[in-house]
Amino acid sequence: MSTEPTDWLIGQSVPRVEDDRLLRGAGRYTDDLHVPDALEVAFLRSTEAHARITSIDISAAKAMPGVIAVYDGASVVDRIKPLLNAEELRVPPGIAALDPINKLQPAPILATDEVNYVGQPVAMVVAETRYLAEDAIEVIDVAYELLPAVIDVEAALAEDAPLVLLGEDDNIGVHVRHGKGDTDAALASAAAVITETFSTQRYVCAPIETRGLVAQQDPFTGSLTIWSTTQTPHRVRDHVAGAIGLPVDDVRVQSVDVGGGFGQKGILVVEELLVPFAAHDLGRPVRWIADRFENLTADAHAREQVHHITLGADADGTLVAVKDHIVVNLGARNMVGLVVPYNALCHLIGPYQVANADLEATGVLTNTTFTSPYRGAGRPEATFAMERAMDRLAVELGIEPSELRRRNLITSEQMPYETGLLDRRGVPQEYDSGDYPAMLDRAVEMIDVPAVRARQAAEPDRRIGVGFALYLEMTGLGPFEGARVEVMPSGRVRLYTGAPSQGQGHRTVFAQILADTMGVAFDDIDVLAGDTASIPYGVGTIASRALVTAGNATAQAGELVRQRILEAAAGVLEANAADLTIEQGIISVTGTPSVELTLADLIRSVPKLAGGSGSDGLGETSYFQPPNYATASGAHAVTVEVDTATGRVEILDYVVVHEAGTIVNPVVADAQVIGGVGQGIGGIMSEHLRYDENGQPITSTFSDYLMPISEMVPEIRMDEIVCPSPTNPLGVKGLGEGGAVGPPAAIANAVEDALRPEGVSVLSGPLSPGRILDMLRDSEVSR
Amino acid sequence: MSNLDPSGPPAAEPTARHTITFTVNGEAVTAEVESRLLLTDFLRHRLRLTGTHVGCEQGACGACTIQLDGQPVRSCLLLAAQVDGRDIRTIEGLAGPDDELTAVQQAFADQHGLQCGFCTPGFVMSVTSLKEQTQATGQAPTEAEVQDCVDSSYCRCTGYVNIRKAARQALGLPVDVPVSLDSTSGEVSE
Ligand code: FES
Ligand code: FES
C-alpha cells in the first residue's frame, strides 16, 4: 500500500459522502425514479390462512377503467417458474453428512388451487396508477373452501396435526441434529442441571422503506432493467432471467438508494418475479412498492423460535454439557432452509467452552407468512436461550452471573479455537481471534456490578436488576464478493462491487480502503455498488459480510490497478516502475520531484501509446474468497428498574463492549452497533407480530406493531477491543448484525434479576408493561 | 427549483377533479387533482418533489413530515385537494442545490444522524419546525419538547442516539446527554 501510515484513511472517521444528497431530499430511492408511462401494480392477497381456491373470476377487473392487465395463477403458471431461493437452500456436503431434512417447497408465483397464509399473492392487477389497480382488486371474485389452519408450532408438531401444505407428509420443513461428546452421560453426573424453555416471539425487519422495484424493457434489444430495493442484485438478476426465460445477460438489476434492509430485502419473493414479468409481457415499465400493510403481513417475518434448553455444570460452575432442542417457526414454506436454524444451532454455545453438546433444530411449517433471516439470523434467538440459561445456572449455584460466565470463557491464548462442531459451511468451526475475558471484564467494570448489588441491598423496595449477554458472530460469509476498479477518462477512479448499501455507508468506507490501497485522493473515488451490468458476479449485502468480502476485494483490485498504473507510467515517463510512487493520484519519480503525471494524463495517453501492451485501460476485477469466517464478538450489560405498579421497564444504563477486528470508520462502525442495539431493544420490549387463532395477522399497522421510538432507546455507553482477523488482509470483521444480538438476553436477564424478589420467570418477550403485569400476577398466583 | 408543472389525473380516474392553487417552497402552483389523491403522491409523483418519503401511509412513521403553513404535518394524512390556498414547505425548500446546508441539515451530517436516509427528511422537517418555533418565541426548547420532536418519527437504522445529538446540536443544546443512572420516575433521588 502506498501512502504514509499517518495519512491512512482506514481507521479515520471520514464524513460520509452519502449525506449531502440525502439531507437535501435529493436521494434516489426506488419509488423516486421517474420512469415515463410506468404502470403500477396492486396484488390481491389471500384473506384465509389455509383454503382451497374453488374459483377466481378476473373478468370484471379487466374491464375496470385504467386497467392494462390482470393475471391470476392460471395465467402465469406456465409462464413463470415457481420461486426457490436456491442459494439459501443449498446444503453443503459437511452438513449433508449430518443427514438433515431440508424440504424443497417452491413458492407458487400466484396461488392456483391452495392458499397457505393470509397475504399470499392470488392475483396481480397492472393499471395506470396504483389507485386504479386497487379499484380493480376490489372486483376480483375468489371463492375459498376453508381448510384447517395451524398457527402454533407445537400444534403443528402434534401427531394428528392438519397439514399446512397439502401434499406434504408432515409439517416439518427442516431438521438437523449435531453435537459432540456424550451429553446425556455428562448431564447425569453433573452437580447442577437446569432445564427451561425460552422463546423469541415473531417480529418483522420493517425497514422504513418497504420492498419495491421498477422494471423496464428496452424497446430495441428487449432486455430488462430492474431498479430494486434488493440487498442481493445479482441473485435477483439470475432468478428473474431463469423464471421468465430470458438470457441472464439481458437482465440488469440496479440497486439505487435503499432505505434499510436488515434481511427482509435479502431473500427473493414472488412479487420480484411478477413485476419484471409484467414489464416483459406488456412491453411497458411497471412499478410496485409494497405498502406498510403488505410489508407487515405479507413480506418476510422472522425470529419466532422456542428453545428447550438444558445446561449441566460442576459445582464450581464449569459447564459440562449443553442440550437444546430448537423449534423454528418457518411459516408456510421452507424458504431459506438451514440458514436460520443452523445459525442458531452453531452460535448457541458462543464464547464458552463445553465438552458435550447435543443440539437439534426443527423447522416447522405453520399457516403463517414465510420467514427470512433478520439482523442476526438465529443468533439473537440462540443467545436469548443460552444467556438466560446461564443466569439460571448462576442462581442455582449461587455464583455471580458475570463470574459464572468468566469461568467458562474461551481465552485469547486458545485462539484460533476449534469448537468441535461444524460451522455453516459444514467444516470444523474455528473462531479466528478474540479476547472474550477482556471484553467481559471491561463490561463488568463499566456497568459496575458491585455497585448494582449494593444498591439492591440498600434499596430493597426498588426493583433494580443487572443483566449480561455475551455472543459471537461468525461474519464474512462466502463464497466470494468482487470489486472492479477502473481509472476513468477524467482521471477519477471508480469502484464497482456487487454489495450494495442499505445505509451502511459503502460509498465512504470502500472509498477509504481504495484511497489507501491506490494512493488516490478520497475525493477522486466514486463507488457504484449493486449494478449487475458493471460487474458480472456478486452475492450482496447480507450476513455481516460486505466489509470482509467486498472490502478485501476492493483492496485486491486496487492493488492490481496500482501496479498497472506504475507500469504504464514507467513507459510514459521513461522511468523504472520501481522508482515511481503514487500519492493523491499524482505519479512521481522518486528523487525527481519535477517530473509528475496525473492519472488523467496517464489514462489519456495509455491507449494511444505506440508500442503499448495492447491492453488499453487501467482497470482490474478481483474476487475475494474468505478462507474462514471472521468471528466478531460482543458483551452487553444493562441495568434496569421495573415499576411493579405500572409494569414499565426502564433501562438505567446500557453498555456495549464489542470486538470486530480492524475498524475502517469508527463513527460509522459505532453507529452500526447502536442501530442494532435499537432494533434489539424494540424486539425485547415491544415488537410482536401476532396472529389470532384463525391465522389472521392482528398487528398489521405501525399503530399495532410497536417499533421503538427515540425515548425507548437510551444512551449507549460503548467500548471496544481490537483483535484483527487473520482471515483477511485488511484484518476486518463484520459488525452489521452484532448489535442486535445482545439486547433481548441482556435485558431479560436484568428484568428477571430485578424481579427475583417477586419470583418472576422471564421466558419470552416482549417485556411490555402489560406482559410484565401478567408475569407479576402469575407469580403471585403460583406462590 | 422551478418549473413545477404538475400533470393532471389520468383520464380513467373516476373521482371528481378539483383545481387547487397553493405555494410550495415559495413557488405558486396551480393544479388539477382528483378527490382521493394523497398529498404525498401529489408532491412526489406529480410535482416530483421526491424528498418527502412514504413509510406507512398510516400517520405513524413520520417520514412524510412537511410544513403546512409553518407547522409540521404528516402529508400522508392529507389529500391534495385540502391544500388549496395553503403554504407548503418540503425538504427541498430548505437548502437549494447550490446553497449550504441549513444548520439542521448540517447537524445531522456532523452527528452521523442518518444511515439509509429514508427517515431523514421527516426528522429534519420536525427539528426545523421546533427550531423555528423557538426562534420565533425566543424561548429555548424544553427537554420535553425536544423529546416529543424526536419521538415523532420512526428510524429503523440509527437507534436514535445520533438523531438526538443532531437535534440537540441544531437547537443549540449541549450535544451529549449525561447518562443518569437513576430512573426517571424520581421515586428516590441520590
Ligand atoms: S408515511 Fe406518513 S406517517 Fe408514515
Ligand atoms: S436512517 Fe434509515 S430509517 Fe432512519
Side-chain angles (χ1 to χ4, degrees), chain A residues 208 292 702, chain B residues 40 53-65 73-77 152-154:
Chain A
I208 306 301
R292 184 55 61 185
F702 271 162
Chain B
T40 39
H53 294 160
V54 173
C56 67
E57 296 177 306
Q58 296 163 350
C61 78
C64 65
T65 302
V73 298
R74 313 282 214 223
S75 56
C76 73
L77 296 183
S152 68
S153 289
Y154 282 140

Side-chain angles (χ1 to χ4, degrees), chain A residues 323-514:
Chain A
K323 186 172 183 147
D324 192 10
H325 184 199
I326 307 167
V327 182
V328 181
N329 190 334
L330 299 177
R333 267 186 185 76
N334 178 23
M335 285 284 272
V336 286
L338 290 161
V339 173
V340 172
Y342 200 83
N343 250 351
L345 186 155
C346 75
H347 283 86
L348 181 88
I349 297 169
Y352 304 116
Q353 22 196 339
V354 55
N356 304 288
D358 178 0
L359 310 173
E360 182 176 3
T362 307
V364 181
L365 304 184
T366 58
N367 292 109
T368 61
T369 300
F370 59 90
T371 56
S372 76
Y374 169 25
R375 201 171 194 164
R379 301 174 188 93
E381 304 90 314
T383 301
F384 186 77
M386 182 71 190
E387 289 292 84
R388 289 265 43 237
M390 286 296 275
D391 264 33
R392 288 290 177 82
L393 186 62
V395 170
E396 171 92 7
L397 290 166
I399 302 174
E400 179 66 50
S402 55
E403 176 55 26
L404 176 75
R405 289 179 168 80
R406 185 137 203 353
R407 289 180 193 176
N408 287 288
L409 289 176
I410 297 159
T411 65
S412 60
E413 293 77 36
Q414 290 171 284
M415 295 291 172
Y417 181 84
E418 282 207 16
T419 66
L421 297 173
L422 298 175
D423 70 17
R424 269 259 286 124
R425 300 167 302 166
V427 304
Q429 182 177 38
E430 183 187 276
Y431 303 158
D432 64 323
S433 61
D435 191 344
Y436 312 140
M439 200 167 66
L440 175 63
D441 288 350
R442 200 82 63 88
V444 169
E445 190 187 310
M446 286 173 74
I447 204 79
D448 200 348
V449 174
V452 181
R453 296 296 175 219
R455 209 167 161 190
Q456 287 173 324
E459 300 176 68
D461 295 338
R462 294 176 68 179
R463 294 291 169 253
I464 291 172
V466 61
F468 285 83
L470 271 57
Y471 58 87
L472 309 180
E473 192 194 355
M474 302 192 77
T475 75
L477 175 75
F480 73 90
E481 195 59 77
R484 179 157 79 89
V485 172
E486 188 90 43
V487 179
M488 304 303 286
S490 65
R492 294 177 65 78
V493 175
R494 278 204 186 163
L495 164 66
Y496 305 94
T497 171
S501 173
Q502 301 85 40
Q504 299 91 336
H506 291 180
R507 283 173 214 236
T508 305
V509 172
F510 293 165
Q512 288 177 250
I513 294 169
L514 193 58

Side-chain angles (χ1 to χ4, degrees), chain A residues 581-601:
Chain A
T581 59
I582 318 175
E583 254 177 76
Q584 299 289 303
I586 296 175
I587 306 141
S588 55
V589 185
T590 318
T592 320
S594 56
V595 183
E596 277 189 358
L597 192 63
T598 65
L599 280 181
D601 294 335

Side-chain angles (χ1 to χ4, degrees), chain A residues 16 24 29 131 205 708 711, chain B residues 41 96 115-116 151 156 160:
Chain A
R16 298 204 324 166
R24 291 174 191 275
Y29 300 86
Y131 294 76
C205 302
E711 67 179 81
Chain B
D41 287 330
Q115 291 183 21
C116 78
D151 275 349
R156 196 55 157 165
Y160 301 104

Side-chain angles (χ1 to χ4, degrees), chain B residues 15-30:
Chain B
T15 62
R17 288 154 161 74
H18 311 264
T19 301
I20 57 170
T21 300
F22 64 101
T23 56
V24 59
N25 300 329
E27 221 173 305
V29 177
T30 297

Side-chain angles (χ1 to χ4, degrees), chain A residues 758-771:
Chain A
E758 314 278 348
V760 162
S761 265
V762 179
L763 303 179
S764 65
L767 302 178
S768 57
R771 282 196 79 237

